[in-house]
Amino acid sequence: MKIEFENNIIEVNVQYGKRKKIALQVDSFGIISVKAPKGTSEEIIINAVQQHGKLILEKLQTIEKARKVPQPREYEDEGQFLHLGKEYSLHELIDIGDLNEEELKIKLKKFYFSSCKKIINERITQYQTDLRVKPKSIDIVESRTKWGSCSSDKKLTFNYRLAMAPIEVIDYVIIHELCHLHHMNHDRSFWRRVGSIMPDYKEKEEYLARHGRDMTF
């Protein structure tokens, strides 16, 4: 459902169930969920979202800022860059040779793409078995707003910057997207499925919300 608020369009996933009150949630991916009692009218849902519109937009802005570059990096031998949740000097990740800054950026980006592809392909095998699903394809992409995605035709994509995150956080994004092969929305069944494989998934969401801004170069 798309709802207008102060010249902004807020897109929400509405989930109806046995409950007494409406609840709103914005996860670390910027997905907005509205849980409502069965039979709740569209007008009531719209009013509820608009009442919290300012807070929702602030949350979305916080998530977006977390994905932006916090400060310029030093592209030299001792410049610090993240890989699997730890900081490494640039020369520990790539051969810097006599390359200039632009050449180093290109080479480092290729390293992250390659690393992410290798890790995703290695880690996803076990979770596919556990969840009894198999995606049609798996691609590593560049994205400013999403850590991962699942299309309606079962194609999964993962942000190459995940190579900077700890393994357990990468696992969470893998599980999250694999679970979308069963449930395309973020309803209660979806989160139960995620929790069945990773009970502490909320901690991983929180990590991405807090440290996403550092996962760049």
Side-chain angles (χ1 to χ4, degrees):
M1 179 185 295
K2 295 182 179 180
I3 300 170
E4 186 174 350
F5 177 77
E6 294 184 353
N7 297 320
N8 294 282
I9 299 298
I10 298 176
E11 188 168 351
V12 302
N13 292 322
V14 182
Q15 305 158 21
Y16 297 96
K18 294 181 179 179
R19 55 185 305 115
K20 295 181 180 180
K21 297 180 180 179
I22 291 179
L24 284 75
Q25 178 184 4
V26 182
D27 67 18
S28 63
F29 289 79
I31 302 298
I32 306 165
S33 300
V34 177
K35 298 179 181 180
K38 287 183 179 179
T40 302
S41 69
E42 187 173 293
E43 182 180 0
I44 291 176
I45 291 173
I46 291 173
N47 287 337
V49 172
Q50 290 177 335
Q51 285 177 11
H52 295 85
K54 188 167 293 186
L55 289 175
I56 291 172
L57 293 178
E58 288 176 356
K59 177 70 172 178
L60 293 177
Q61 288 172 359
T62 299
I63 293 171
E64 179 62 23
K65 286 179 181 178
R67 293 170 179 163
K68 292 182 179 179
V69 180
Q71 59 184 9
R73 297 281 184 173
E74 294 182 7
Y75 285 86
E76 55 187 31
D77 189 30
E78 295 305 318
Q80 297 295 298
F81 297 85
L82 283 170
H83 185 233
L84 300 183
K86 297 180 180 179
E87 286 194 335
Y88 292 87
S89 296
L90 186 58
H91 74 274
E92 294 180 285
L93 300 180
I94 62 173
D95 180 11
I96 61 176
D98 294 321
L99 302 179
N100 61 36
E101 182 172 313
E102 190 58 35
E103 291 170 331
L104 288 171
K105 287 181 180 180
I106 293 172
K107 192 166 186 177
L108 185 59
K109 190 172 187 178
K110 287 181 179 179
F111 165 78
Y112 282 129
F113 260 96
S114 177
S115 178
C116 187
K117 183 177 182 179
K118 181 176 183 294
I119 294 165
I120 294 293
N121 286 337
E122 288 176 351
R123 308 292 291 183
I124 203 169
T125 303
Q126 180 59 48
Y127 295 121
Q128 285 182 178
T129 302
D130 294 341
L131 291 164
R132 298 179 183 178
V133 295
K134 187 173 183 179
K136 186 174 181 180
S137 64
I138 302 168
D139 291 315
I140 309 303
V141 301
E142 181 173 4
S143 174
R144 290 181 62 251
T145 59
K146 295 181 178 180
W147 296 111
S149 67
C150 173
S151 67
S152 57
D153 54 355
K154 298 185 177 182
K155 294 180 179 180
L156 303 187
T157 62
F158 296 94
N159 192 325
Y160 79 95
R161 292 190 295 118
L162 281 172
M164 304 177 198
I167 281 291
E168 60 270 21
V169 174
I170 298 175
D171 285 350
Y172 162 65
V173 179
I174 291 172
I175 293 168
H176 186 111
E177 300 310 330
L178 284 175
C179 285
H180 275 313
L181 295 175
H182 283 294
H183 309 279
M184 283 304 295
N185 57 20
H186 291 84
D187 60 13
R188 191 176 301 175
S189 297
F190 169 82
W191 291 114
R192 277 202 299 264
R193 194 85 177 185
V194 173
S196 69
I197 303 297
M198 181 174 281
D200 61 346
Y201 70 87
K202 289 186 178 180
E203 292 181 10
K204 311 307 183 290
E205 280 195 326
E206 184 64 23
Y207 181 94
L208 290 172
R210 286 187 178 184
H211 302 288
R213 65 182 302 162
D214 298 320
M215 292 164 56
T216 188
F217 67 96

